[in-house]
Amino acid sequence: MTVTELGQALRRWRDRVEPASAGLPAGGRRRAAGLRREELALLAGISVDYVTRLEQGRAAHPSGQVVEALARALRLSGDERALLFRLAGLVPPGPERVPAYLTPSVQRLLDRLVNVPVGVYDAGFTLLLANPMYAALMGDPSGWSGFERNSVWRAFLGPGGRVRHTPDELRDFRTGLVSQLRAATARYPADPELRRLVAELRSHSPLFAGLWEEGTVVRNEGARKTVDHPHVGALTLDCDILHVTGNDLTLLIYTAEPGTEDAERLDLLAVLGTQSLVG
């Protein structure tokens, strides 16, 4: 078995990431201080078997989406990310593609918000990263792939989410998502994944197609939202939106007013994580 340069690089970068810095428990005996393969797989949203095959040289051509997920999980710098793409036989994404890179400064911000639900989205509102609290609040996205990770697709063709909406709020929410997606296509007209997403939605959702043709422009703003959680009950939280202009990222941050039942339920959620209360 020949270990490729790609496999060697993945192992080297995995060994230097401390579990605690990635929001993972560091308990148990470890042969090395870095991430285990199963932990990297969890953070990147891919299978442990695939990580093993990449490191051992039995899989040498991962997709761009997988490479991007690995780069985020391994907290690579911009130059290291570009090298990872080249080792995988791919051209690093250029300015015509929707950015999916989390800079070290954004990652440091996330590290300091471990007790606050934070989701990081790209310009087309595809979920790039959900910290453990966000996953606990909104549902574990680690098994999602492709369009399943896109909020626009989920709002029109998928199972939706846990946020409670009145009919008017749902209409406004969907209109805002369509407006944001249209703006993203204007900024990145050559991005193939974005074009494929829009084509999928226009073909299979008459509601989306109608809103797309209307061309309504709506500003995406934060608001108070009620989240129906299956174990801790309803939480009414403030959802603030932060934009990282240099990388065209959007951070959704949920907080509760101190001293309220919602704050207590959010604290309970921090203890429970994504585990079920059943059994």
Side-chain angles (χ1 to χ4, degrees):
M1 182 183 302
T2 302
V3 178
T4 62
E5 286 188 79
L6 172 62
Q8 291 174 338
L10 288 174
R11 178 59 188 268
R12 182 172 64 252
W13 286 326
R14 178 166 63 83
D15 283 345
R16 77 178 186 187
V17 179
E18 296 181 0
S21 70
L24 298 171
R29 299 185 61 182
R30 291 175 177 268
R31 288 180 295 177
L35 296 175
R36 297 185 176 111
R37 283 174 177 162
E38 57 267 27
E39 291 169 334
L40 175 57
L42 175 66
L43 292 170
I46 59 179
S47 71
V48 181
D49 176 68
Y50 193 48
V51 171
T52 302
R53 288 190 287 120
L54 284 171
E55 289 192 357
Q56 294 179 347
R58 294 185 288 120
H61 301 289
S63 68
Q65 186 179 27
V66 167
V67 172
E68 198 73 78
L70 287 168
R72 288 194 296 270
L74 292 166
R75 297 165 173 248
L76 301 186
S77 68
D79 289 341
E80 290 169 338
R81 171 177 171 267
L83 174 59
L84 180 58
F85 270 91
R86 289 192 290 270
L87 291 176
L90 301 171
V91 177
E96 74 282 356
R97 300 291 294 266
V98 172
Y101 174 55
L102 272 63
T103 63
S105 61
V106 172
Q107 191 63 66
R108 287 194 296 271
L109 174 63
L110 296 175
D111 290 342
R112 286 160 174 76
L113 295 174
V114 291
N115 293 320
V116 177
V118 183
V120 183
Y121 292 82
D122 69 12
F125 233 69
T126 291
L127 180 65
L128 300 178
L129 180 70
N131 73 355
M133 277 294 290
Y134 191 90
L137 178 66
M138 295 299 186
D140 185 5
S142 60
W144 300 351
S145 61
F147 290 151
E148 287 181 312
R149 300 187 68 85
N150 184 269
S151 290
V152 190
W153 184 89
R154 295 183 73 85
F156 287 93
L157 296 176
R162 293 178 176 176
V163 176
R164 184 189 302 174
H165 294 288
T166 66
D168 287 345
E169 289 170 343
L170 182 59
R171 183 190 64 246
D172 292 344
F173 173 66
R174 285 171 167 165
T175 301
L177 287 175
V178 174
S179 177
Q180 180 164 332
L181 185 59
R182 186 186 297 106
T185 60
R187 295 196 299 276
Y188 308 100
D191 188 287
E193 290 301 312
L194 206 56
R195 294 168 67 178
R196 191 164 68 90
L197 172 64
V198 172
E200 171 83 4
L201 286 162
R202 294 183 73 179
S203 297
H204 295 92
S205 172
L207 177 58
F208 175 89
L211 290 171
W212 185 265
E213 295 302 325
E214 286 179 11
T216 304
V217 177
V218 179
R219 185 173 181 176
N220 191 13
E221 297 180 340
R224 286 181 66 79
K225 297 185 179 182
T226 298
V227 180
D228 289 316
H229 193 276
H231 301 310
V232 304
L235 303 91
T236 299
L237 306 171
D238 290 311
C239 175
D240 288 291
I241 300 174
L242 274 62
H243 297 290
V244 184
T245 54
N247 290 76
D248 213 352
L249 301 176
T250 296
L251 277 63
L252 297 189
I253 303 176
Y254 286 85
T255 57
E257 185 177 346
T260 63
E261 290 186 7
D262 299 305
E264 293 176 0
R265 289 173 178 171
L266 200 57
D267 289 341
L268 175 59
L269 201 58
V271 176
L272 296 175
T274 56
Q275 67 180 319
S276 172
L277 292 180
V278 179

